[in-house]
Amino acid sequence: MKLKNIILTGLALMALTACNDYLEVEAPSKQTNEYIFSRESEVSLALNNIYVQMLSNNTYGQNFWTSLTFNNDVEFAANSSDAAGENNFQRFDGTSQGGNASNAWNQLYKSIETANNFIYNLENGPLYENPTEEIYQMMGEAKCMRAMFYYDLTWYFGDVPFTFEPTYIRGDVNTPIPVVDRTTILESLIADLEEIAPHMQGTSECTVERPSQEFAYAMIARIALTAGGYTLRPDTSNPSSYGSMQRPSDYQKYYQIARTAAKKVIDSGTHKLNKSYRQVFIDECNYIINNADDPIFELPFAYQQSGNIGYNQGPQVTSYEDATTGINVWGPSSGNARLNAFYRYSFDPSDLRRDYVVGLWYYLYDGTPTMRADYTTHNNKWSKLWTTGGAGKTLNTNTGSTGINFPYMRYADVLLMFAEAENEVNGPTSEAQEALKTVRRRAFDPADHGDLVESYVSSAAASKETFLKAVLNERKWELAGEGSRWRDLVRNNLYSEVLYWTFLRYISVGENAGGSSMYEDAVHEYDGVPERLPENMYYNIVDNPVNINIYPNTTLQVLDILNPYEGVTQHPDHKLTSNFYQWWNDGAGKPTNQCLYSLYGFARADIGGLYKIIENGVEKDFPFPISSTSQLPVVRYILPYPNAAIQRAAGVYKNYYGYSN
């Protein structure tokens, strides 16, 4: 089944899904289910309806990669508002009225209901009495997608209502589904996938646009690492408390599960890292499917019908009267899935990923490249500008609905999960080191492998602690924009520490723009690198393909930027960026609002301009210097249950973490 060529409407099967929101559903008739789940062709159509739900912009089509990616040292959304809001979850500031949270909640439960109905009726139908290979495969796809929905639901909302039964079997829709501890939910998902995975097809037998056996085992590894890691837990005796970071006492057993599952993917030999890093994503932008390389499961968006990948990512393209002109034939792009301004400077300068991923300019409507002298940079992994019009596809001028696939699971991720789990269970063994080296080798020119790969990994393997740090750093450089970084930080109880120093980076540069900052030396010491943040940058507009290996579009002009690490003087052919990193408000006598309020729910300036840390919703004196990260409060990354869900449950559900009901 080539999903890219299927029109994913599912209109004939809408009766199988939940209605507009959770706990208000229409149960399909028994006769309808008996007909559908007694015919393999109809089962295939019913399965397709789960894909329809998965591709919603309220979840995987857009929001998970934009408005519900929380700020960190990789992904970042600048915000200048000095007041609390309902929907600013990226900066840990929102309420139970926030639409982004409620839309995700409703869509995930709609997706779960669709998957529950499919799985229950197929398991209890005649075709599952003696299942064919294809029936097993379709069951596996449904269970993998259901695992995705519940897995991401627990990440966003913590302990949640949980059931594998469809509504029409459960019966009384007026009785709320019980809230279940997230670890119990994750254990149920692992057991469910372990049961079906051996019966599923490998990627070589199907396609990365369908969940495969390799994806099932990769999901087990991902879920198990989460189960064994830290999460924010509520203080049920004090709903105004933001809670505390906790992990299970038997957490190591989950690392063993993750290690075993990731090793199965590696030992299958199906996936390799043969293509260059950039080519993986350029191929996705050109609708090219690679079944034996890095992607393990790609969200199969339909061409020009679903998914905003490459519209939100990549350079912004402005418009004039809703269009672009001249050589800029791709149309406008929002480019609002941004990266932290300092992310670029965390890379080794020889890392091939850096200059491909980090975009320092955008385009005017006529195709003129313009320096992005801003608080963020663009994420150039995907862009509609990379589409060449090959593979029988025209250039995509849509304002969204690009149909570009998104890699929900990659082999590089599995290798790094294995390295992390193996390190926790057995230490930095040769197997763990080789997994890390495999990912890192692709990121550097082969001539650099000695010092930048082999020696680097060997040095990192001095202890479990140093090796874990190296693995998490590699994930930071490898997985930008893929929803990984904030979860990695939570899982290892590092989120507060990283946000603390992220806030100080923005503040120190802002203060330096107005004179000097007392935080600058501490930031450089923490980062372990010499000063790298430029006050000025110099650029010149040139034709591509001078750097085609970095920037795939050969039609539009690009910017040639002088190395910002060096104390360069202005070159005759280069322009000086105006006010680059000039983040100081002369009139107010303090850094600009974007420096002060982009982490509003964790750290900000008070009304008098003094820096504050936020603990259980209360402003407290900003701790500096700190002798231990235990001095820092937790990050409230958990979203509130939507107010409408609480009302429908007649008070059975309750918000914690400082949210009001």
PDB file of all heavy atoms in Angstrom, residues 215 218 222 271 273 277 280-281 284 293-297 381-382 407-415 417 442 477-480 482:
ATOM      1  N   PHE A 215      10.036  -0.297  13.295  1.00  0.00           N
ATOM      2  CA  PHE A 215       9.441   0.839  13.994  1.00  0.00           C
ATOM      3  C   PHE A 215       8.818   0.406  15.318  1.00  0.00           C
ATOM      4  O   PHE A 215       8.922   1.116  16.326  1.00  0.00           O
ATOM      5  CB  PHE A 215       8.390   1.525  13.128  1.00  0.00           C
ATOM      6  CG  PHE A 215       7.682   2.660  13.825  1.00  0.00           C
ATOM      7  CD1 PHE A 215       8.384   3.771  14.252  1.00  0.00           C
ATOM      8  CD2 PHE A 215       6.321   2.600  14.071  1.00  0.00           C
ATOM      9  CE1 PHE A 215       7.737   4.817  14.910  1.00  0.00           C
ATOM     10  CE2 PHE A 215       5.667   3.637  14.721  1.00  0.00           C
ATOM     11  CZ  PHE A 215       6.372   4.753  15.136  1.00  0.00           C
ATOM     12  N   ALA A 218      11.567   0.085  17.709  1.00  0.00           N
ATOM     13  CA  ALA A 218      12.091   1.419  18.019  1.00  0.00           C
ATOM     14  C   ALA A 218      11.155   2.164  18.964  1.00  0.00           C
ATOM     15  O   ALA A 218      11.605   2.870  19.876  1.00  0.00           O
ATOM     16  CB  ALA A 218      12.289   2.213  16.727  1.00  0.00           C
ATOM     17  N   ARG A 222      11.876   3.730  22.685  1.00  0.00           N
ATOM     18  CA  ARG A 222      11.562   5.117  23.035  1.00  0.00           C
ATOM     19  C   ARG A 222      10.645   5.179  24.252  1.00  0.00           C
ATOM     20  O   ARG A 222      10.855   5.993  25.157  1.00  0.00           O
ATOM     21  CB  ARG A 222      10.924   5.823  21.833  1.00  0.00           C
ATOM     22  CG  ARG A 222      10.575   7.279  22.070  1.00  0.00           C
ATOM     23  CD  ARG A 222      10.007   7.935  20.820  1.00  0.00           C
ATOM     24  NE  ARG A 222      11.042   8.239  19.845  1.00  0.00           N
ATOM     25  CZ  ARG A 222      10.801   8.832  18.673  1.00  0.00           C
ATOM     26  NH1 ARG A 222       9.553   9.151  18.334  1.00  0.00           N
ATOM     27  NH2 ARG A 222      11.788   9.093  17.841  1.00  0.00           N
ATOM     28  N   HIS A 271      18.444  -0.812   8.252  1.00  0.00           N
ATOM     29  CA  HIS A 271      18.688   0.619   8.109  1.00  0.00           C
ATOM     30  C   HIS A 271      20.171   0.944   8.287  1.00  0.00           C
ATOM     31  O   HIS A 271      20.870   0.341   9.099  1.00  0.00           O
ATOM     32  CB  HIS A 271      17.843   1.395   9.116  1.00  0.00           C
ATOM     33  CG  HIS A 271      16.377   1.265   8.853  1.00  0.00           C
ATOM     34  ND1 HIS A 271      15.709   2.046   7.942  1.00  0.00           N
ATOM     35  CD2 HIS A 271      15.448   0.409   9.366  1.00  0.00           C
ATOM     36  CE1 HIS A 271      14.439   1.694   7.907  1.00  0.00           C
ATOM     37  NE2 HIS A 271      14.257   0.704   8.752  1.00  0.00           N
ATOM     38  N   LEU A 273      23.166   4.488   7.688  1.00  0.00           N
ATOM     39  CA  LEU A 273      23.339   5.931   7.533  1.00  0.00           C
ATOM     40  C   LEU A 273      24.247   6.186   6.345  1.00  0.00           C
ATOM     41  O   LEU A 273      25.290   6.831   6.451  1.00  0.00           O
ATOM     42  CB  LEU A 273      23.921   6.547   8.815  1.00  0.00           C
ATOM     43  CG  LEU A 273      23.120   6.351  10.099  1.00  0.00           C
ATOM     44  CD1 LEU A 273      23.781   7.091  11.258  1.00  0.00           C
ATOM     45  CD2 LEU A 273      21.674   6.797   9.945  1.00  0.00           C
ATOM     46  N   TYR A 277      23.782  13.475   5.760  1.00  0.00           N
ATOM     47  CA  TYR A 277      22.774  13.997   6.686  1.00  0.00           C
ATOM     48  C   TYR A 277      21.760  14.872   5.950  1.00  0.00           C
ATOM     49  O   TYR A 277      20.546  14.673   6.056  1.00  0.00           O
ATOM     50  CB  TYR A 277      23.468  14.788   7.785  1.00  0.00           C
ATOM     51  CG  TYR A 277      22.551  15.362   8.830  1.00  0.00           C
ATOM     52  CD1 TYR A 277      22.044  14.576   9.854  1.00  0.00           C
ATOM     53  CD2 TYR A 277      22.204  16.713   8.817  1.00  0.00           C
ATOM     54  CE1 TYR A 277      21.211  15.105  10.838  1.00  0.00           C
ATOM     55  CE2 TYR A 277      21.384  17.250   9.788  1.00  0.00           C
ATOM     56  CZ  TYR A 277      20.888  16.440  10.796  1.00  0.00           C
ATOM     57  OH  TYR A 277      20.062  16.974  11.761  1.00  0.00           O
ATOM     58  N   VAL A 280      19.062  13.188   3.524  1.00  0.00           N
ATOM     59  CA  VAL A 280      17.890  12.544   4.124  1.00  0.00           C
ATOM     60  C   VAL A 280      16.693  13.477   4.065  1.00  0.00           C
ATOM     61  O   VAL A 280      15.588  13.090   3.674  1.00  0.00           O
ATOM     62  CB  VAL A 280      18.188  12.139   5.581  1.00  0.00           C
ATOM     63  CG1 VAL A 280      16.918  11.665   6.284  1.00  0.00           C
ATOM     64  CG2 VAL A 280      19.253  11.052   5.622  1.00  0.00           C
ATOM     65  N   PHE A 281      16.896  14.731   4.427  1.00  0.00           N
ATOM     66  CA  PHE A 281      15.795  15.683   4.521  1.00  0.00           C
ATOM     67  C   PHE A 281      15.484  16.312   3.166  1.00  0.00           C
ATOM     68  O   PHE A 281      14.320  16.609   2.875  1.00  0.00           O
ATOM     69  CB  PHE A 281      16.138  16.748   5.558  1.00  0.00           C
ATOM     70  CG  PHE A 281      16.555  16.134   6.877  1.00  0.00           C
ATOM     71  CD1 PHE A 281      17.889  16.113   7.255  1.00  0.00           C
ATOM     72  CD2 PHE A 281      15.623  15.532   7.700  1.00  0.00           C
ATOM     73  CE1 PHE A 281      18.286  15.526   8.442  1.00  0.00           C
ATOM     74  CE2 PHE A 281      16.008  14.935   8.894  1.00  0.00           C
ATOM     75  CZ  PHE A 281      17.345  14.935   9.263  1.00  0.00           C
ATOM     76  N   GLU A 284      13.186  13.965   1.516  1.00  0.00           N
ATOM     77  CA  GLU A 284      11.812  14.088   2.020  1.00  0.00           C
ATOM     78  C   GLU A 284      11.111  15.281   1.386  1.00  0.00           C
ATOM     79  O   GLU A 284       9.920  15.201   1.034  1.00  0.00           O
ATOM     80  CB  GLU A 284      11.830  14.220   3.545  1.00  0.00           C
ATOM     81  CG  GLU A 284      12.168  12.911   4.233  1.00  0.00           C
ATOM     82  CD  GLU A 284      12.401  13.052   5.722  1.00  0.00           C
ATOM     83  OE1 GLU A 284      12.612  14.188   6.200  1.00  0.00           O
ATOM     84  OE2 GLU A 284      12.387  12.014   6.416  1.00  0.00           O
ATOM     85  N   ASP A 293      17.618   3.413   4.484  1.00  0.00           N
ATOM     86  CA  ASP A 293      18.571   4.370   5.033  1.00  0.00           C
ATOM     87  C   ASP A 293      18.093   4.841   6.403  1.00  0.00           C
ATOM     88  O   ASP A 293      17.620   4.040   7.209  1.00  0.00           O
ATOM     89  CB  ASP A 293      18.785   5.535   4.061  1.00  0.00           C
ATOM     90  CG  ASP A 293      20.130   6.212   4.255  1.00  0.00           C
ATOM     91  OD1 ASP A 293      21.152   5.699   3.751  1.00  0.00           O
ATOM     92  OD2 ASP A 293      20.170   7.256   4.922  1.00  0.00           O
ATOM     93  N   ASP A 294      18.210   6.116   6.698  1.00  0.00           N
ATOM     94  CA  ASP A 294      17.961   6.653   8.034  1.00  0.00           C
ATOM     95  C   ASP A 294      16.489   6.596   8.467  1.00  0.00           C
ATOM     96  O   ASP A 294      16.187   6.161   9.584  1.00  0.00           O
ATOM     97  CB  ASP A 294      18.481   8.089   8.093  1.00  0.00           C
ATOM     98  CG  ASP A 294      18.617   8.626   9.505  1.00  0.00           C
ATOM     99  OD1 ASP A 294      18.328   7.887  10.459  1.00  0.00           O
ATOM    100  OD2 ASP A 294      19.026   9.792   9.660  1.00  0.00           O
ATOM    101  N   PRO A 295      15.532   7.034   7.648  1.00  0.00           N
ATOM    102  CA  PRO A 295      14.138   7.022   8.106  1.00  0.00           C
ATOM    103  C   PRO A 295      13.644   5.608   8.415  1.00  0.00           C
ATOM    104  O   PRO A 295      13.870   4.679   7.639  1.00  0.00           O
ATOM    105  CB  PRO A 295      13.373   7.628   6.926  1.00  0.00           C
ATOM    106  CG  PRO A 295      14.387   8.426   6.177  1.00  0.00           C
ATOM    107  CD  PRO A 295      15.667   7.660   6.312  1.00  0.00           C
ATOM    108  N   ILE A 296      12.971   5.467   9.556  1.00  0.00           N
ATOM    109  CA  ILE A 296      12.333   4.204   9.934  1.00  0.00           C
ATOM    110  C   ILE A 296      10.822   4.315   9.791  1.00  0.00           C
ATOM    111  O   ILE A 296      10.169   3.419   9.276  1.00  0.00           O
ATOM    112  CB  ILE A 296      12.719   3.806  11.365  1.00  0.00           C
ATOM    113  CG1 ILE A 296      14.206   3.444  11.410  1.00  0.00           C
ATOM    114  CG2 ILE A 296      11.879   2.632  11.862  1.00  0.00           C
ATOM    115  CD1 ILE A 296      14.705   3.074  12.796  1.00  0.00           C
ATOM    116  N   PHE A 297      10.259   5.442  10.238  1.00  0.00           N
ATOM    117  CA  PHE A 297       8.846   5.704   9.987  1.00  0.00           C
ATOM    118  C   PHE A 297       8.659   7.178   9.712  1.00  0.00           C
ATOM    119  O   PHE A 297       9.030   8.028  10.520  1.00  0.00           O
ATOM    120  CB  PHE A 297       7.966   5.286  11.162  1.00  0.00           C
ATOM    121  CG  PHE A 297       6.508   5.627  10.971  1.00  0.00           C
ATOM    122  CD1 PHE A 297       5.817   5.173   9.854  1.00  0.00           C
ATOM    123  CD2 PHE A 297       5.833   6.416  11.882  1.00  0.00           C
ATOM    124  CE1 PHE A 297       4.483   5.494   9.647  1.00  0.00           C
ATOM    125  CE2 PHE A 297       4.490   6.738  11.703  1.00  0.00           C
ATOM    126  CZ  PHE A 297       3.813   6.273  10.579  1.00  0.00           C
ATOM    127  N   LYS A 381      16.229  22.166   7.971  1.00  0.00           N
ATOM    128  CA  LYS A 381      16.156  20.734   7.650  1.00  0.00           C
ATOM    129  C   LYS A 381      15.190  20.481   6.505  1.00  0.00           C
ATOM    130  O   LYS A 381      15.472  19.713   5.594  1.00  0.00           O
ATOM    131  CB  LYS A 381      15.709  19.945   8.885  1.00  0.00           C
ATOM    132  CG  LYS A 381      16.823  19.437   9.754  1.00  0.00           C
ATOM    133  CD  LYS A 381      16.309  18.496  10.811  1.00  0.00           C
ATOM    134  CE  LYS A 381      17.457  17.949  11.646  1.00  0.00           C
ATOM    135  NZ  LYS A 381      16.986  17.105  12.753  1.00  0.00           N
ATOM    136  N   TRP A 382      14.022  21.095   6.611  1.00  0.00           N
ATOM    137  CA  TRP A 382      13.010  20.935   5.568  1.00  0.00           C
ATOM    138  C   TRP A 382      12.597  22.321   5.084  1.00  0.00           C
ATOM    139  O   TRP A 382      12.522  23.268   5.847  1.00  0.00           O
ATOM    140  CB  TRP A 382      11.751  20.245   6.110  1.00  0.00           C
ATOM    141  CG  TRP A 382      11.999  18.955   6.813  1.00  0.00           C
ATOM    142  CD1 TRP A 382      12.065  17.711   6.266  1.00  0.00           C
ATOM    143  CD2 TRP A 382      12.193  18.775   8.222  1.00  0.00           C
ATOM    144  NE1 TRP A 382      12.297  16.773   7.239  1.00  0.00           N
ATOM    145  CE2 TRP A 382      12.379  17.393   8.453  1.00  0.00           C
ATOM    146  CE3 TRP A 382      12.224  19.636   9.315  1.00  0.00           C
ATOM    147  CZ2 TRP A 382      12.596  16.872   9.719  1.00  0.00           C
ATOM    148  CZ3 TRP A 382      12.442  19.133  10.580  1.00  0.00           C
ATOM    149  CH2 TRP A 382      12.621  17.752  10.767  1.00  0.00           C
ATOM    150  N   PRO A 407       9.972  12.656   9.581  1.00  0.00           N
ATOM    151  CA  PRO A 407      10.553  11.423  10.116  1.00  0.00           C
ATOM    152  C   PRO A 407      10.280  11.268  11.608  1.00  0.00           C
ATOM    153  O   PRO A 407      11.070  11.713  12.445  1.00  0.00           O
ATOM    154  CB  PRO A 407      12.046  11.591   9.831  1.00  0.00           C
ATOM    155  CG  PRO A 407      12.269  13.072   9.924  1.00  0.00           C
ATOM    156  CD  PRO A 407      11.002  13.712   9.415  1.00  0.00           C
ATOM    157  N   TYR A 408       9.192  10.611  11.946  1.00  0.00           N
ATOM    158  CA  TYR A 408       8.852  10.416  13.354  1.00  0.00           C
ATOM    159  C   TYR A 408       9.881   9.541  14.058  1.00  0.00           C
ATOM    160  O   TYR A 408      10.106   9.688  15.255  1.00  0.00           O
ATOM    161  CB  TYR A 408       7.458   9.782  13.464  1.00  0.00           C
ATOM    162  CG  TYR A 408       6.941   9.682  14.875  1.00  0.00           C
ATOM    163  CD1 TYR A 408       6.330  10.773  15.481  1.00  0.00           C
ATOM    164  CD2 TYR A 408       7.055   8.501  15.605  1.00  0.00           C
ATOM    165  CE1 TYR A 408       5.855  10.691  16.786  1.00  0.00           C
ATOM    166  CE2 TYR A 408       6.581   8.414  16.907  1.00  0.00           C
ATOM    167  CZ  TYR A 408       5.985   9.511  17.495  1.00  0.00           C
ATOM    168  OH  TYR A 408       5.515   9.420  18.786  1.00  0.00           O
ATOM    169  N   MET A 409      10.509   8.651  13.306  1.00  0.00           N
ATOM    170  CA  MET A 409      11.551   7.798  13.890  1.00  0.00           C
ATOM    171  C   MET A 409      12.659   7.612  12.867  1.00  0.00           C
ATOM    172  O   MET A 409      12.395   7.255  11.711  1.00  0.00           O
ATOM    173  CB  MET A 409      10.999   6.438  14.298  1.00  0.00           C
ATOM    174  CG  MET A 409      12.001   5.520  14.987  1.00  0.00           C
ATOM    175  SD  MET A 409      12.428   6.057  16.659  1.00  0.00           S
ATOM    176  CE  MET A 409      10.896   5.656  17.525  1.00  0.00           C
ATOM    177  N   ARG A 410      13.913   7.860  13.305  1.00  0.00           N
ATOM    178  CA  ARG A 410      15.063   7.653  12.438  1.00  0.00           C
ATOM    179  C   ARG A 410      16.034   6.664  13.081  1.00  0.00           C
ATOM    180  O   ARG A 410      16.085   6.502  14.297  1.00  0.00           O
ATOM    181  CB  ARG A 410      15.788   8.980  12.177  1.00  0.00           C
ATOM    182  CG  ARG A 410      15.004   9.964  11.351  1.00  0.00           C
ATOM    183  CD  ARG A 410      15.888  11.050  10.754  1.00  0.00           C
ATOM    184  NE  ARG A 410      16.328  12.054  11.701  1.00  0.00           N
ATOM    185  CZ  ARG A 410      17.596  12.315  11.988  1.00  0.00           C
ATOM    186  NH1 ARG A 410      18.574  11.585  11.448  1.00  0.00           N
ATOM    187  NH2 ARG A 410      17.925  13.279  12.832  1.00  0.00           N
ATOM    188  N   TYR A 411      16.835   6.049  12.218  1.00  0.00           N
ATOM    189  CA  TYR A 411      17.824   5.075  12.689  1.00  0.00           C
ATOM    190  C   TYR A 411      18.870   5.744  13.578  1.00  0.00           C
ATOM    191  O   TYR A 411      19.337   5.155  14.565  1.00  0.00           O
ATOM    192  CB  TYR A 411      18.488   4.399  11.496  1.00  0.00           C
ATOM    193  CG  TYR A 411      19.450   3.287  11.860  1.00  0.00           C
ATOM    194  CD1 TYR A 411      19.051   2.240  12.682  1.00  0.00           C
ATOM    195  CD2 TYR A 411      20.752   3.286  11.378  1.00  0.00           C
ATOM    196  CE1 TYR A 411      19.921   1.215  13.019  1.00  0.00           C
ATOM    197  CE2 TYR A 411      21.635   2.261  11.694  1.00  0.00           C
ATOM    198  CZ  TYR A 411      21.219   1.230  12.524  1.00  0.00           C
ATOM    199  OH  TYR A 411      22.081   0.214  12.857  1.00  0.00           O
ATOM    200  N   ALA A 412      19.242   6.996  13.265  1.00  0.00           N
ATOM    201  CA  ALA A 412      20.198   7.709  14.105  1.00  0.00           C
ATOM    202  C   ALA A 412      19.665   7.843  15.524  1.00  0.00           C
ATOM    203  O   ALA A 412      20.422   7.726  16.502  1.00  0.00           O
ATOM    204  CB  ALA A 412      20.490   9.091  13.518  1.00  0.00           C
ATOM    205  N   ASP A 413      18.377   8.081  15.657  1.00  0.00           N
ATOM    206  CA  ASP A 413      17.748   8.161  16.974  1.00  0.00           C
ATOM    207  C   ASP A 413      17.864   6.822  17.696  1.00  0.00           C
ATOM    208  O   ASP A 413      18.190   6.762  18.887  1.00  0.00           O
ATOM    209  CB  ASP A 413      16.277   8.555  16.800  1.00  0.00           C
ATOM    210  CG  ASP A 413      15.598   8.932  18.109  1.00  0.00           C
ATOM    211  OD1 ASP A 413      16.184   8.751  19.183  1.00  0.00           O
ATOM    212  OD2 ASP A 413      14.450   9.410  18.048  1.00  0.00           O
ATOM    213  N   VAL A 414      17.627   5.730  16.986  1.00  0.00           N
ATOM    214  CA  VAL A 414      17.711   4.398  17.591  1.00  0.00           C
ATOM    215  C   VAL A 414      19.135   4.114  18.061  1.00  0.00           C
ATOM    216  O   VAL A 414      19.347   3.583  19.160  1.00  0.00           O
ATOM    217  CB  VAL A 414      17.239   3.320  16.597  1.00  0.00           C
ATOM    218  CG1 VAL A 414      17.508   1.919  17.142  1.00  0.00           C
ATOM    219  CG2 VAL A 414      15.755   3.492  16.303  1.00  0.00           C
ATOM    220  N   LEU A 415      20.121   4.458  17.244  1.00  0.00           N
ATOM    221  CA  LEU A 415      21.512   4.243  17.640  1.00  0.00           C
ATOM    222  C   LEU A 415      21.846   5.001  18.929  1.00  0.00           C
ATOM    223  O   LEU A 415      22.515   4.468  19.827  1.00  0.00           O
ATOM    224  CB  LEU A 415      22.448   4.689  16.517  1.00  0.00           C
ATOM    225  CG  LEU A 415      22.504   3.782  15.284  1.00  0.00           C
ATOM    226  CD1 LEU A 415      23.196   4.501  14.126  1.00  0.00           C
ATOM    227  CD2 LEU A 415      23.214   2.473  15.592  1.00  0.00           C
ATOM    228  N   MET A 417      19.625   6.028  21.194  1.00  0.00           N
ATOM    229  CA  MET A 417      18.884   5.411  22.294  1.00  0.00           C
ATOM    230  C   MET A 417      19.610   4.178  22.802  1.00  0.00           C
ATOM    231  O   MET A 417      19.695   3.943  24.015  1.00  0.00           O
ATOM    232  CB  MET A 417      17.458   5.054  21.852  1.00  0.00           C
ATOM    233  CG  MET A 417      16.526   6.240  21.704  1.00  0.00           C
ATOM    234  SD  MET A 417      14.781   5.767  21.551  1.00  0.00           S
ATOM    235  CE  MET A 417      14.743   5.053  19.918  1.00  0.00           C
ATOM    236  N   ARG A 442      28.908  10.342  10.282  1.00  0.00           N
ATOM    237  CA  ARG A 442      28.187  10.959   9.172  1.00  0.00           C
ATOM    238  C   ARG A 442      28.252  12.480   9.243  1.00  0.00           C
ATOM    239  O   ARG A 442      28.072  13.166   8.226  1.00  0.00           O
ATOM    240  CB  ARG A 442      26.732  10.485   9.166  1.00  0.00           C
ATOM    241  CG  ARG A 442      25.920  10.990   7.984  1.00  0.00           C
ATOM    242  CD  ARG A 442      24.513  10.454   7.961  1.00  0.00           C
ATOM    243  NE  ARG A 442      23.742  10.852   9.140  1.00  0.00           N
ATOM    244  CZ  ARG A 442      22.440  10.638   9.281  1.00  0.00           C
ATOM    245  NH1 ARG A 442      21.769  10.022   8.320  1.00  0.00           N
ATOM    246  NH2 ARG A 442      21.808  11.011  10.373  1.00  0.00           N
ATOM    247  N   TRP A 477      22.552  17.867  18.560  1.00  0.00           N
ATOM    248  CA  TRP A 477      23.019  18.284  17.239  1.00  0.00           C
ATOM    249  C   TRP A 477      22.334  17.517  16.107  1.00  0.00           C
ATOM    250  O   TRP A 477      22.224  18.014  14.999  1.00  0.00           O
ATOM    251  CB  TRP A 477      24.537  18.104  17.163  1.00  0.00           C
ATOM    252  CG  TRP A 477      25.271  18.911  18.183  1.00  0.00           C
ATOM    253  CD1 TRP A 477      25.010  20.210  18.547  1.00  0.00           C
ATOM    254  CD2 TRP A 477      26.383  18.490  18.988  1.00  0.00           C
ATOM    255  NE1 TRP A 477      25.883  20.614  19.533  1.00  0.00           N
ATOM    256  CE2 TRP A 477      26.743  19.594  19.824  1.00  0.00           C
ATOM    257  CE3 TRP A 477      27.109  17.310  19.088  1.00  0.00           C
ATOM    258  CZ2 TRP A 477      27.798  19.523  20.733  1.00  0.00           C
ATOM    259  CZ3 TRP A 477      28.163  17.243  20.001  1.00  0.00           C
ATOM    260  CH2 TRP A 477      28.500  18.338  20.804  1.00  0.00           C
ATOM    261  N   GLU A 478      21.881  16.315  16.390  1.00  0.00           N
ATOM    262  CA  GLU A 478      21.322  15.440  15.358  1.00  0.00           C
ATOM    263  C   GLU A 478      19.834  15.662  15.128  1.00  0.00           C
ATOM    264  O   GLU A 478      19.348  15.526  14.002  1.00  0.00           O
ATOM    265  CB  GLU A 478      21.557  13.969  15.760  1.00  0.00           C
ATOM    266  CG  GLU A 478      20.992  12.938  14.801  1.00  0.00           C
ATOM    267  CD  GLU A 478      21.754  12.825  13.493  1.00  0.00           C
ATOM    268  OE1 GLU A 478      22.940  13.217  13.457  1.00  0.00           O
ATOM    269  OE2 GLU A 478      21.166  12.351  12.510  1.00  0.00           O
ATOM    270  N   LEU A 479      19.072  15.986  16.176  1.00  0.00           N
ATOM    271  CA  LEU A 479      17.610  15.860  16.118  1.00  0.00           C
ATOM    272  C   LEU A 479      16.880  17.191  16.225  1.00  0.00           C
ATOM    273  O   LEU A 479      15.708  17.219  16.606  1.00  0.00           O
ATOM    274  CB  LEU A 479      17.133  14.921  17.227  1.00  0.00           C
ATOM    275  CG  LEU A 479      17.676  13.490  17.165  1.00  0.00           C
ATOM    276  CD1 LEU A 479      17.373  12.740  18.450  1.00  0.00           C
ATOM    277  CD2 LEU A 479      17.103  12.742  15.968  1.00  0.00           C
ATOM    278  N   ALA A 480      17.506  18.284  15.850  1.00  0.00           N
ATOM    279  CA  ALA A 480      16.858  19.594  15.954  1.00  0.00           C
ATOM    280  C   ALA A 480      15.544  19.615  15.190  1.00  0.00           C
ATOM    281  O   ALA A 480      15.458  19.156  14.049  1.00  0.00           O
ATOM    282  CB  ALA A 480      17.784  20.685  15.414  1.00  0.00           C
ATOM    283  N   GLU A 482      12.851  17.924  15.776  1.00  0.00           N
ATOM    284  CA  GLU A 482      12.144  16.648  15.709  1.00  0.00           C
ATOM    285  C   GLU A 482      11.444  16.298  17.026  1.00  0.00           C
ATOM    286  O   GLU A 482      11.087  15.148  17.263  1.00  0.00           O
ATOM    287  CB  GLU A 482      13.117  15.543  15.283  1.00  0.00           C
ATOM    288  CG  GLU A 482      13.679  15.784  13.881  1.00  0.00           C
ATOM    289  CD  GLU A 482      14.640  14.702  13.417  1.00  0.00           C
ATOM    290  OE1 GLU A 482      14.300  13.505  13.542  1.00  0.00           O
ATOM    291  OE2 GLU A 482      15.732  15.062  12.932  1.00  0.00           O
TER     292      GLU A 482
END
